Amino acid sequence: MTPQQLRAFCLDFNASAEEFPFGPETSVFKVLGKMFALTALDARPLTVNLKCDPDEAVRLREKYDGVVPGWHMSKRHWNTVTVSGVPDRLLRELIEDSYDLVVAGLPKADRLRLDRP
């Protein structure tokens, strides 16, 4: 996945937005103001921080060298994923799972509005 594809994929989710609270080099993708992905799209290698179920996070770290505890994030709930270090299909699933975990923490009315009860 290229940086442009990563950005487009993150912005394709309902109510997602790209913000730059940490400076112009760091893209933060949010749903209704809550972060679900963080990346420096110009970085090499390209990495992205994604929210993850704690048990799944440990499993992924054991299976893939490209998945490590979240850099500057809660190590229990966030992974840093090297884009080239995991299969493209898995990366897409991890981004969607991160989005879904964040949405699950939103008020019910917001979840229903996003069509993700």
Side-chain angles (χ1 to χ4, degrees):
M1 182 178 289
T2 68
Q4 297 79 14
Q5 290 169 326
L6 175 61
R7 180 177 184 273
F9 189 74
C10 288
L11 290 173
D12 200 35
F13 293 103
N14 290 343
S16 66
E18 181 180 22
E19 297 181 10
F20 300 91
F22 306 117
E25 67 283 342
T26 305
S27 295
V28 177
F29 297 95
K30 296 182 175 184
V31 54
L32 299 180
K34 302 290 184 182
M35 178 172 60
F36 69 92
L38 178 142
T39 184
L41 292 170
D42 292 335
R44 298 298 175 262
L46 179 61
T47 63
V48 59
N49 286 5
L50 299 168
K51 191 164 189 161
C52 191
D53 171 79
D55 294 330
E56 180 70 3
V58 171
R59 188 188 70 73
L60 289 165
R61 293 171 195 165
E62 291 172 351
K63 186 171 182 177
Y64 298 99
D65 291 336
V67 180
V68 297
W71 188 67
H72 285 290
M73 308 292 279
S74 164
K75 309 296 188 230
R76 179 168 157 75
H77 295 278
W78 289 83
N79 282 331
T80 297
V81 180
T82 301
V83 171
S84 62
V86 297
D88 191 63
R89 181 175 179 204
L90 175 63
L91 178 62
R92 291 174 185 276
E93 290 172 4
L94 294 175
I95 295 168
E96 184 171 5
D97 288 349
S98 182
Y99 175 87
D100 286 342
L101 282 169
V102 172
V103 168
L106 295 173
K108 184 176 182 179
D110 290 335
R111 290 192 315 267
L112 292 172
R113 188 166 41 116
L114 293 171
D115 197 27
R116 291 196 181 251

